[in-house]
Amino acid sequence: MTDFEPRDPDFERKVRDSFARQRVMSTLGATLTRVAPGLVEITLPHRVDLTQQHGYLHAGIAGTIADSAGGYAGFSLMPPGSTVLSVEYRVHLLAPARGERFVARGRVVKPGRTLTVCELEVEAIEGERRTRCVIGTQTLICLPEAADRPAG
Amino acid sequence: MTDFEPRDPDFERKVRDSFARQRVMSTLGATLTRVAPGLVEITLPHRVDLTQQHGYLHAGIAGTIADSAGGYAGFSLMPPGSTVLSVEYRVHLLAPARGERFVARGRVVKPGRTLTVCELEVEAIEGERRTRCVIGTQTLICLPEAADRPAG
Amino acid sequence: MTDFEPRDPDFERKVRDSFARQRVMSTLGATLTRVAPGLVEITLPHRVDLTQQHGYLHAGIAGTIADSAGGYAGFSLMPPGSTVLSVEYRVHLLAPARGERFVARGRVVKPGRTLTVCELEVEAIEGERRTRCVIGTQTLICLPEAADRPAG
Amino acid sequence: MTDFEPRDPDFERKVRDSFARQRVMSTLGATLTRVAPGLVEITLPHRVDLTQQHGYLHAGIAGTIADSAGGYAGFSLMPPGSTVLSVEYRVHLLAPARGERFVARGRVVKPGRTLTVCELEVEAIEGERRTRCVIGTQTLICLPEAADRPAG
């Protein structure tokens, strides 16, 4: 499916567990719809209570699912016992985020022991029509020997 | 307060009206806490249902309030009868977004007839402690003779 | 070759003429090695006088040829009688820029009447080995009825 | 002068030595005009052989001196025996880079053991007039126990 060999054979369960702990994802109604080594998709149905002033999905919410998709794409390739943080991300807003649902895709471009670079995109889907409304890139850092859960 | 002269004397009402139509802002619990020419602040109290896997505010939500703060900072300087769209934004995540509340600040660096560039930041506030957890920059476009509301 | 239809039938000559006026390109020793609608490549042979402290091509010089490649990819799709300016660009430095020569590629992702978004990359070539050392994205603006040459 | 305490008492000499090994800086005619902890300035006189098609300094060359200024601002705070690499940088081109000379300034926003974030700017100077033509941000990585010179 992808060109990468995960260093953690249990990568899918690890990603799904961590996603389930991202409380904001269930608040938004986003679900994890694909987990492959170095490639993750998150799907968000349209909701009027997530819109900006023109009635489209707020760019920041599109950025939120893109950031998580990229973060988990990177996390899927990291070794057991580590966690991931976004260092920075940037998004271009190519078209209004108008659709029935949105699919955010994060794809690792360059995995690394410390830093990983991902490409991000969000597609808006309306019936048969798919419009790429966001593209972006992201830098992640792998924190070895750090728990992927609250410190408490 | 700021160095800019608004071209719309009614800039504050215009910004507040538009913010009130950003449905996502009330969904998140964010409020507009400062509107000056070229400078806007949005405040978001901490909520556990907006967190990522370590229990901090999700970077994308910090990005969402930063994007809106910048967008409205730019909008405050745009002429009557126009609307604003984000072209792109990028954020650096300097520190975990941990605090009782978060203040996003957008500040116009370079206003323009078509494009406006803003600086973004988010501070996490915990008692007396203020930590700058996000910095970023953003490009906005002014759409003249376009309504700042749903087309419907 | 690409999916785009140029609005200027004379796009190749226009791009080549403008490139020839970018004095910095001949100073660096860069040449235009591919011009297609929405896709431009610039090739730069390695030169020790363009290196950074470790002896690799300076990231900024890789960024310079990437910025021009993207700018001309966008310019190739712009109407006659207009000119192009970079609004912003960003580059990720994936690997040291070490090689005999470097090929920068700019590809239009989203053309627009006012704004165009491009993807950028630079490959380092050493014998048979090609290493993608830079990726990035860029926003361009089309200035209609503006000369693509010095005002003087 | 700045708020940072360097971890290398010999930071200024270290920065000046490394800058002197960046062959591209002397090729461009750029000099190091300020070195303080976390703050570095590089000055470049205007040269017609560094221009783009409208006769202004090429955005990529402005980006090159900004990238080096930020890199050395970060390097000034890194411990002895380490070297620095740019991970990514982005620049907004606020105004045409037109002037007698250009001053690039890199300023550390957040120093870190592994990653450092800097703000970048370039001013164009023409007589008494100073125009901020570039702003940007940059991520650097500190490589401990790595030589700041060619491997050979």
Side-chain angles (χ1 to χ4, degrees):
Chain A
M1 299 178 77
T2 60
D3 295 340
F4 298 110
E5 195 62 46
R7 285 189 285 173
D8 184 345
D10 217 17
F11 75 91
E12 181 168 349
R13 194 184 53 72
K14 175 177 81 172
V15 166
R16 293 194 178 277
D17 283 358
S18 182
F19 183 88
R21 286 195 306 275
Q22 285 208 334
R23 295 284 303 272
V24 70
M25 291 296 139
S26 57
T27 301
L28 299 175
T31 55
L32 200 50
T33 44
R34 186 170 176 197
V35 180
L39 175 58
V40 163
E41 285 181 11
I42 292 172
T43 298
L44 177 70
H46 174 72
R47 276 172 38 183
V48 73
D49 64 350
L50 300 178
T51 54
Q52 37 81 293
Q53 76 274 24
H54 306 104
Y56 308 135
L57 182 72
H58 192 284
I61 302 301
T64 298
I65 57 173
D67 176 52
S68 273
Y72 286 124
F75 191 42
S76 73
L77 301 181
M78 292 177 184
S82 58
T83 190
V84 62
L85 285 175
S86 291
V87 169
E88 57 84 38
Y89 67 91
R90 84 103 120 205
V91 286
H92 290 269
L93 311 161
L94 302 180
R98 179 177 16 188
E100 293 154 7
R101 64 185 195 282
F102 305 94
V103 176
R105 196 169 290 115
R107 192 186 299 271
V108 172
V109 173
K110 179 72 166 47
R113 205 166 49 87
T114 304
L115 298 180
T116 291
V117 177
C118 291
E119 286 179 341
L120 311 176
E121 66 171 357
V122 181
E123 282 186 320
I125 300 173
E126 182 83 50
E128 297 298 298
R129 190 170 49 80
R130 303 176 82 94
T131 306
R132 196 148 68 140
C133 55
V134 171
I135 65 163
T137 56
Q138 179 190 43
T139 307
L140 304 169
I141 190 165
C142 174
L143 303 180
E145 301 177 42
D148 185 64
R149 53 181 65 247
Chain B
M1 298 177 77
T2 61
D3 295 341
F4 297 109
E5 196 61 47
R7 286 189 284 171
D8 184 344
D10 217 18
F11 74 91
E12 182 168 349
R13 196 185 51 73
K14 174 177 83 170
V15 167
R16 293 193 178 278
D17 283 357
S18 182
F19 183 88
R21 285 194 308 274
Q22 285 208 334
R23 295 283 303 273
V24 69
M25 290 296 141
S26 57
T27 301
L28 299 176
T31 55
L32 200 50
T33 43
R34 186 168 177 197
V35 181
L39 175 59
V40 163
E41 284 181 12
I42 292 173
T43 298
L44 176 70
H46 174 71
R47 274 171 39 182
V48 74
D49 64 350
L50 300 178
T51 55
Q52 37 81 293
Q53 76 274 24
H54 305 104
Y56 308 135
L57 183 72
H58 193 285
I61 302 300
T64 298
I65 56 173
D67 176 53
S68 272
Y72 286 124
F75 191 44
S76 73
L77 301 181
M78 293 178 184
S82 58
T83 189
V84 62
L85 284 176
S86 291
V87 169
E88 57 83 39
Y89 67 92
R90 85 104 117 203
V91 286
H92 290 270
L93 310 161
L94 302 179
R98 179 175 18 188
E100 294 154 7
R101 64 184 195 283
F102 305 94
V103 177
R105 196 168 291 114
R107 191 186 300 272
V108 172
V109 174
K110 178 72 166 45
R113 204 167 49 87
T114 303
L115 298 179
T116 291
V117 177
C118 292
E119 286 178 341
L120 310 177
E121 67 171 358
V122 181
E123 282 186 321
I125 301 173
E126 181 84 49
E128 297 299 299
R129 190 171 50 81
R130 304 175 81 95
T131 307
R132 195 149 68 141
C133 54
V134 172
I135 65 162
T137 56
Q138 179 191 42
T139 308
L140 304 169
I141 189 165
C142 174
L143 303 179
E145 301 176 42
D148 185 64
R149 54 182 64 248
Chain C
M1 298 177 79
T2 61
D3 295 340
F4 297 109
E5 196 61 46
R7 286 190 283 173
D8 185 344
D10 217 18
F11 75 91
E12 182 168 349
R13 196 185 52 74
K14 175 177 82 172
V15 166
R16 292 192 179 280
D17 282 358
S18 182
F19 183 89
R21 286 195 306 276
Q22 286 209 333
R23 296 284 304 273
V24 69
M25 291 296 140
S26 59
T27 302
L28 298 176
T31 55
L32 199 50
T33 44
R34 186 169 176 197
V35 181
L39 175 59
V40 162
E41 285 181 11
I42 292 172
T43 298
L44 176 69
H46 175 73
R47 275 172 38 183
V48 73
D49 64 350
L50 301 178
T51 55
Q52 37 81 293
Q53 77 275 24
H54 305 105
Y56 308 134
L57 182 71
H58 193 285
I61 302 301
T64 298
I65 57 174
D67 176 52
S68 273
Y72 286 124
F75 191 44
S76 73
L77 301 181
M78 293 178 184
S82 58
T83 190
V84 61
L85 285 176
S86 291
V87 169
E88 57 85 37
Y89 66 91
R90 85 104 118 201
V91 286
H92 289 270
L93 310 161
L94 303 179
R98 178 177 17 186
E100 292 154 9
R101 65 184 195 282
F102 305 94
V103 177
R105 196 168 290 116
R107 191 185 301 270
V108 172
V109 173
K110 178 73 165 49
R113 204 167 49 87
T114 304
L115 298 179
T116 290
V117 177
C118 291
E119 286 179 340
L120 311 177
E121 66 171 359
V122 181
E123 281 186 319
I125 300 173
E126 181 82 50
E128 297 298 298
R129 190 171 51 79
R130 302 176 82 94
T131 306
R132 197 150 66 141
C133 53
V134 171
I135 65 163
T137 56
Q138 179 191 43
T139 307
L140 304 170
I141 190 165
C142 174
L143 303 180
E145 301 177 42
D148 185 64
R149 54 180 66 247
Chain D
M1 300 175 77
T2 61
D3 295 341
F4 297 109
E5 194 62 47
R7 285 189 285 172
D8 185 344
D10 217 18
F11 75 91
E12 181 168 349
R13 195 186 50 75
K14 174 177 82 173
V15 166
R16 293 193 178 277
D17 283 357
S18 182
F19 182 88
R21 285 194 307 275
Q22 285 208 333
R23 296 282 304 271
V24 69
M25 291 296 140
S26 58
T27 301
L28 299 176
T31 55
L32 200 50
T33 44
R34 185 169 177 198
V35 181
L39 175 59
V40 162
E41 284 181 11
I42 293 172
T43 298
L44 176 69
H46 175 72
R47 275 171 38 183
V48 74
D49 65 350
L50 300 178
T51 54
Q52 37 82 292
Q53 76 275 23
H54 306 104
Y56 308 134
L57 183 70
H58 192 283
I61 302 301
T64 298
I65 57 174
D67 175 53
S68 272
Y72 286 124
F75 191 43
S76 74
L77 301 181
M78 292 179 185
S82 57
T83 189
V84 63
L85 285 176
S86 292
V87 170
E88 56 84 39
Y89 67 91
R90 86 105 117 202
V91 286
H92 290 269
L93 310 161
L94 303 178
R98 179 176 17 188
E100 293 154 9
R101 65 184 195 281
F102 305 94
V103 176
R105 195 168 292 115
R107 191 185 301 271
V108 172
V109 173
K110 178 73 164 48
R113 203 167 50 88
T114 304
L115 298 180
T116 290
V117 178
C118 292
E119 286 178 340
L120 311 176
E121 67 171 358
V122 181
E123 283 186 320
I125 301 173
E126 181 83 51
E128 296 298 298
R129 190 172 50 80
R130 302 176 83 93
T131 307
R132 197 151 66 142
C133 54
V134 172
I135 66 162
T137 58
Q138 179 191 43
T139 307
L140 304 169
I141 189 165
C142 174
L143 302 179
E145 301 177 42
D148 185 64
R149 53 180 65 249

